[in-house]
Amino acid sequence: MENSRTVAFIYAHPDDETFGCSYLIRQIADEGNQAVLFTATRGDAGKTGRLGEMTREELAAKRDIELEKAIEILGISAMEQAGMGDGKLKEAAPATLQELIADFLRRHEADVVVTFPVDGISGHADHIVIHHAVNEVIFGGKAPSVQKLYYNQLGSFASESSSVLKIEENGRWDVKRQALAAHESQILSIERVFGKLGSDVPPHQHWETFELAWERGVHFPVKAEAEHTIFDDLK
Ligand SMILES: [Zn+2]
């Protein structure tokens, strides 16, 4: 699309995008911009929720369908899965993972990138590997179209030493709830974080937060005024 901007979400598993970024992704799509998603794995080492036992291949196939549903609900315009070892990203060659991510960002000419913070939000080892791989790609200039990098923090995150973009729920809980429900095999971890999915916005879900980690060579720039959108100050 002409004049539209592209935000790339770089994650480890199907559902990482929905947990932390649903309001933001839907807002990007609603405003005519592009949200694109890369997941390193198909999540086939995960749990199966209330679906009973499944082989890894069955779970991978199920999670592919779940992710297809979720990205349609969220308005993600392009999605790629690298099919790397779920739970085993630490064992992958860092250069291979970095090149996959860099290639994805270059092909989509991403303007902005969103990924995990250093603690991976949940501490999951795969999340932390993705965080470091994205840093290497962006800080190393391997995806030259990228102007800004954000770390997706928990909703209550605040900081004095960095800029934090807050995306208000603004009527989008219903979209997030539907996208979460699409990840049916993950319902137990979803309910741990969000409670039983209902029409009321759960506590702590009134906004999503994104810490600005890097902008055109500057690490953790502190802005005089809080940013209003993820596209603020792009060239
Ligand atoms: Zn994950």
Side-chain angles (χ1 to χ4, degrees):
M1 246 185 280
E2 229 172 303
N3 299 323
S4 82
R5 296 288 197 174
T6 299
V7 182
F9 293 80
I10 308 296
Y11 281 118
H13 313 110
D15 79 6
D16 294 332
E17 75 301 323
T18 300
F19 267 76
C21 308
S22 294
Y23 304 154
L24 173 61
I25 293 171
R26 193 62 249 179
Q27 183 191 59
I28 289 166
D30 287 345
E31 291 173 356
N33 293 294
Q34 314 294 311
V36 298
L37 172 66
F38 173 97
T39 72
T41 82
R42 294 167 74 200
D44 52 304
K47 305 217 166 61
T48 61
R50 300 191 177 103
L51 300 174
E53 275 192 36
M54 286 180 163
T55 64
R56 285 187 74 133
E57 193 40 53
E58 284 168 345
L59 179 57
K62 169 71 176 151
R63 295 196 74 175
D64 286 353
I65 296 168
E66 293 174 348
L67 183 58
E68 287 290 348
K69 261 191 222 168
I71 69 172
E72 196 178 323
I73 292 163
L74 295 176
I76 288 172
S77 58
M79 181 269 288
E80 291 178 28
Q81 295 187 278
M84 299 177 84
D86 185 11
K88 296 182 170 179
L89 288 185
K90 255 200 315 209
E91 296 167 28
T96 305
L97 177 59
Q98 288 166 28
E99 186 45 39
L100 285 167
I101 293 169
D103 178 61
F104 178 82
L105 296 175
R106 289 192 297 257
R107 277 186 288 110
H108 290 282
E109 297 180 61
D111 299 289
V112 181
V113 174
V114 177
T115 193
F116 293 110
V118 69
D119 63 1
I121 297 181
S122 63
H124 194 304
D126 283 351
H127 295 185
I128 293 167
V129 170
I130 293 290
H131 166 83
H132 291 293
V134 172
N135 283 351
E136 288 292 326
V137 168
I138 305 295
F139 304 160
K142 293 173 198 159
S145 62
V146 176
Q147 299 189 42
K148 296 205 278 188
L149 169 64
Y150 287 86
Y151 299 148
N152 181 193
Q153 296 283 2
L154 284 175
S156 54
F157 182 83
S159 170
E160 303 263 292
S161 56
S162 58
S163 298
V164 180
L165 172 66
K166 281 172 81 168
I167 302 293
E168 303 288 337
E169 181 268 343
N170 203 13
R172 294 194 170 98
W173 166 247
D174 205 44
V175 164
K176 184 160 187 164
R177 172 170 69 124
Q178 289 175 43
L180 286 166
H183 291 290
E184 190 186 8
S185 64
Q186 305 308 302
I187 192 66
L188 299 181
S189 53
I190 289 166
E191 288 179 355
R192 247 194 327 273
V193 175
F194 299 95
K196 289 264 181 215
L197 298 177
S199 53
D200 292 342
V201 182
H204 316 298
Q205 291 299 318
H206 291 279
W207 58 77
E208 294 171 343
T209 48
F210 301 89
E211 183 180 25
L212 181 57
W214 180 93
E215 181 172 334
R216 292 188 295 272
V218 181
H219 293 263
F220 296 104
V222 179
K223 305 222 167 179
E225 268 182 59
E227 292 187 309
H228 296 294
T229 83
I230 200 158
F231 304 112
D232 284 9
D233 299 328
L234 287 186
K235 292 199 165 142

